[in-house]
Amino acid sequence: MKALAPNGNYPEGPGYWNYGMEFNCIALMLLEGTLGSDFGLAKLPGFRETADYLDVVTGPSGLTFNYADGGADRGSCFATWWLAKRFNRPDILPYFELPAYRELCRGGKRGRFPHRLFAHSLLCVSTPPSDVVNKQPLVWDAQGPVPITIQRASWDRDALFVGLKAGSPSGNHGHMDGGSFVLDALGVRWAMDLGAESYYGIEKRGMNLWDSRQNSDRWKIFRLSTAGHNVLMLDNQPQFVRGYAKVVQVTKGTGAASTVVLDLSSLYPNAKRVSRTGAMAASGKSYRLTDEVDGLRAGASVRWCMNTQGSTATIEGDTIVLKQKDRTLRVTQVGGQKAPWQVQPAKGPNEWDSPNRGCQQLVFTVPASSDGKARLAVEFRID
């Protein structure tokens, strides 16, 4: 529970929040029911605030920001009902939990874990008022040991939504994903995180999945590596395991406008300064991701990457046009340095790597200038 301080963010992501929080809430119920007190546990910093967490990190697509070893799917969660009742927060129910619960009761999608503790929801279920107003923020600075940020244009189902990841690969269930992002628009997940590799599939080979040292087996797995994430790769080198990306600025402007700045420098020992800035336009129709790198060797390669699934990708000069069904997102290089786009399978080089069927990587690579600098920017625009 201490990991939730100061404002409810969970370091291991929403999948493990769901996994642990349900048992956490049952433990509090047992303490109060048998001993008459939770001994102040529910007053620990961040616990009341974590009622917002699952909704805030769930995009309009219905998928979560699944950083680290988490999956993106979300199902009905008993803990959400308990938190809504305990802290008088019916506003955390309509966005996702209430329709997911009703679907589950009809025999629909089960989600990941509802079969185990679903019956406990009956102790907490109540229909929220029809006029309940969502209280969660549009822009969220998660803080905590694994900082993330969330920017969304609105709580509408078609809204633009971006999650950015800071922190360290050395954290529990950590990946080399400092600076990585997911992006939803028009109800679709366009920029995705590939998620965790199968624990069993790796461990049965005798590989040590839980050794996080720089040259360990863990970083030979594509889904966990720098190359498998929506991050910069500098001079073909992986991120530094003991580095720590920081959120240095979060601002909310007029309309849907917001800006987030990450300092990624300590993840890249071969550069002096690396920053990533994410800016949402006031219209809520576009988002710009800007990368600045200083102190590289002259000519060093700077690789930009984005994973996407289920999209058709058409290259039109500096733009890739992504389509899913009748929806379109334009991804355009707008920075000082540009290079030809490449669209390639999101698959690792080793036979133990999952094939990630239907997933592609959008990639371009530029050389650092003679003074060791690189300036890249990509704009995402809804048609």
Side-chain angles (χ1 to χ4, degrees):
M1 294 178 72
K2 290 181 178 178
L4 298 170
N7 62 346
N9 179 33
Y10 190 60
E12 296 175 13
Y16 280 97
W17 183 98
N18 187 109
Y19 178 79
M21 189 57 62
E22 292 200 315
F23 295 108
N24 196 146
C25 293
I26 286 176
L28 297 183
M29 292 172 70
L30 288 168
L31 286 172
E32 292 176 332
T34 57
L35 302 177
S37 173
D38 69 3
F39 302 95
L41 288 173
K43 295 181 179 178
L44 286 174
F47 187 70
R48 174 186 289 269
E49 291 78 7
T50 208
D52 288 324
Y53 174 74
L54 212 53
D55 271 358
V56 171
V57 299
T58 300
S61 65
L63 300 174
T64 66
F65 182 11
N66 57 313
Y67 52 93
D69 271 344
D73 287 339
R74 176 180 170 185
S76 179
C77 174
F78 147 69
T80 302
W81 291 101
W82 187 88
L83 290 164
K85 181 178 180 180
R86 177 59 180 266
F87 297 118
N88 190 25
R89 291 292 308 279
D91 59 294
I92 67 174
L93 299 172
Y95 176 66
F96 188 96
E97 180 58 38
L98 183 60
Y101 179 84
R102 287 173 170 165
E103 183 180 6
L104 188 59
C105 290
R106 289 193 298 266
K109 182 179 178 182
R110 293 185 61 83
R112 294 190 67 196
F113 299 123
H115 57 285
R116 291 194 296 207
L117 303 174
F118 171 67
H120 291 76
S121 301
L122 300 177
L123 303 173
C124 310
V125 165
S126 62
T127 303
S130 59
D131 60 348
V132 67
V133 177
N134 187 296
K135 297 179 181 178
Q136 290 99 326
L138 296 178
V139 182
W140 194 54
D141 179 7
Q143 303 176 46
V146 181
I148 65 169
T149 62
I150 301 294
Q151 298 163 271
R152 67 173 81 216
S154 73
W155 284 90
D156 295 337
R157 289 298 176 182
D158 285 343
L160 193 57
F161 164 96
V162 178
L164 280 165
K165 167 77 167 49
S168 174
S170 63
N172 289 344
H173 293 280
H175 289 195
M176 289 185 170
D177 60 359
S180 192
F181 67 99
V182 297
L183 185 146
D184 286 3
L186 304 174
V188 170
R189 173 62 51 91
W190 300 96
M192 63 173 294
D193 189 298
L194 297 173
E197 188 59 88
S198 165
Y199 297 168
Y200 173 72
I202 295 299
E203 290 178 320
K204 75 176 182 179
R205 300 173 179 275
M207 297 173 68
N208 188 347
L209 180 60
W210 306 110
D211 180 355
S212 62
R213 289 175 294 183
Q214 189 70 38
N215 296 316
S216 73
D217 289 343
R218 185 172 181 83
W219 312 121
K220 298 174 185 177
I221 301 166
F222 181 71
R223 287 187 175 186
L224 280 61
S225 70
T226 305
H229 285 93
N230 302 337
V231 300
L232 296 179
M233 178 175 271
L234 305 184
D235 220 10
N236 296 313
Q237 297 300 305
Q239 290 187 344
F240 179 50
V241 170
R242 299 298 170 186
Y244 186 86
K246 301 176 183 177
V247 178
V248 295
Q249 180 183 330
V250 179
T251 58
K252 176 73 173 73
T254 58
S258 62
T259 301
V260 168
V261 181
L262 304 183
D263 180 359
L264 309 175
S265 303
S266 69
L267 295 175
Y268 297 98
N270 51 347
K272 290 183 179 178
R273 185 181 74 90
V274 184
S275 70
R276 168 161 277 186
T277 300
M280 184 173 293
S283 65
K285 299 296 184 182
S286 66
Y287 188 88
R288 181 171 295 200
L289 204 60
T290 302
D291 296 306
E292 298 185 355
V293 184
D294 294 327
L296 277 171
R297 69 173 183 85
S301 63
V302 179
R303 174 184 182 265
W304 189 98
C305 178
M306 171 183 145
N307 293 305
T308 190
Q309 184 176 38
S311 303
T312 60
T314 304
I315 299 175
E316 298 180 356
D318 294 335
T319 297
I320 289 186
V321 180
L322 296 178
K323 289 186 178 292
Q324 291 193 40
K325 298 180 180 179
D326 59 345
R327 296 152 190 174
T328 302
L329 181 76
R330 301 180 70 84
V331 185
T332 304
Q333 296 180 43
V334 293
Q337 291 172 269
K338 300 177 183 178
W341 281 110
Q342 293 180 308
V343 180
Q344 59 195 39
K347 187 180 185 306
N350 301 302
E351 50 90 17
W352 57 73
D353 288 315
S354 292
N356 303 317
R357 293 180 179 87
C359 297
Q360 299 173 303
Q361 290 191 318
L362 315 183
V363 176
F364 68 93
T365 303
V366 303
S369 61
S370 59
D371 58 359
K373 296 182 178 182
R375 299 291 186 267
L376 296 75
V378 173
E379 183 179 75
F380 306 87
R381 180 171 293 277
I382 301 170
D383 270 5

